[in-house]
């Protein structure tokens, strides 16, 4: 999902929203409807993709990492208790 690695996901969100606004402004001000409509569809997809990534995917990945660390810690504690109880 991370296609654009040069800038942060939050910067991508603002960039794609700005590009969408420029496309809509271009549709209003010019007679080039076909390229502008195609551009608006593409930038709408990119804007929604970036928004979903920033709002849902990245926080979920962070929470998943924290849960994996907690799980690893708990497994170590369980192993230590099992080793102590074996003696």
């Amino acid at each position: 999902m991370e296609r654009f690695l040069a800038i942060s996901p939050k910067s991508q969100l603002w960039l794609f929203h700005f590009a969408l606004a420029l496309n809509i402004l271009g549709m209003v001000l010019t007679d080039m409807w076909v390229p502008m409509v195609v551009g608006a569809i593409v930038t709408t997809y990119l804007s929604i993709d970036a928004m979903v990534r920033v709002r849902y995917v990245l926080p979920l990945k962070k929470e998943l990492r924290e849960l994996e660390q907690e799980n690893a810690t708990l497994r170590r504690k369980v192993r230590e208790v099992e080793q102590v109880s074996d003696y």
Side-chain angles (χ1 to χ4, degrees):
M1 237 174 135
E2 295 185 29
R3 293 171 294 212
F4 310 104
L5 299 175
I7 58 175
S8 71
K10 202 166 222 173
S11 296
Q12 290 176 26
L13 175 72
W14 288 109
L15 174 71
F16 295 144
H17 277 79
F18 183 68
L20 179 61
L22 287 178
N23 268 326
I24 292 171
L25 185 66
M27 283 193 317
V28 170
L29 296 177
T30 66
D31 292 333
M32 298 174 41
W33 273 93
V34 175
M36 290 295 189
V37 169
V38 171
I41 290 170
V42 170
T43 54
T44 300
Y45 167 75
L46 291 171
S47 297
I48 292 171
D49 183 45
M51 187 178 356
V52 167
R53 196 173 336 136
V54 167
R55 287 192 179 173
Y56 300 108
V57 174
L58 294 178
L60 183 63
K61 282 185 178 181
K62 181 181 176 188
E63 187 175 336
L64 207 64
R65 262 187 254 115
E66 291 171 358
L67 287 173
E68 286 174 354
Q69 289 174 352
E70 184 179 343
N71 190 15
T73 304
L74 290 173
R75 285 182 188 215
R76 269 184 292 192
K77 287 181 181 180
V78 166
R79 270 191 244 122
E80 289 173 5
V81 169
E82 287 175 349
Q83 287 176 354
V84 169
S85 65
D86 286 342
Y87 293 114

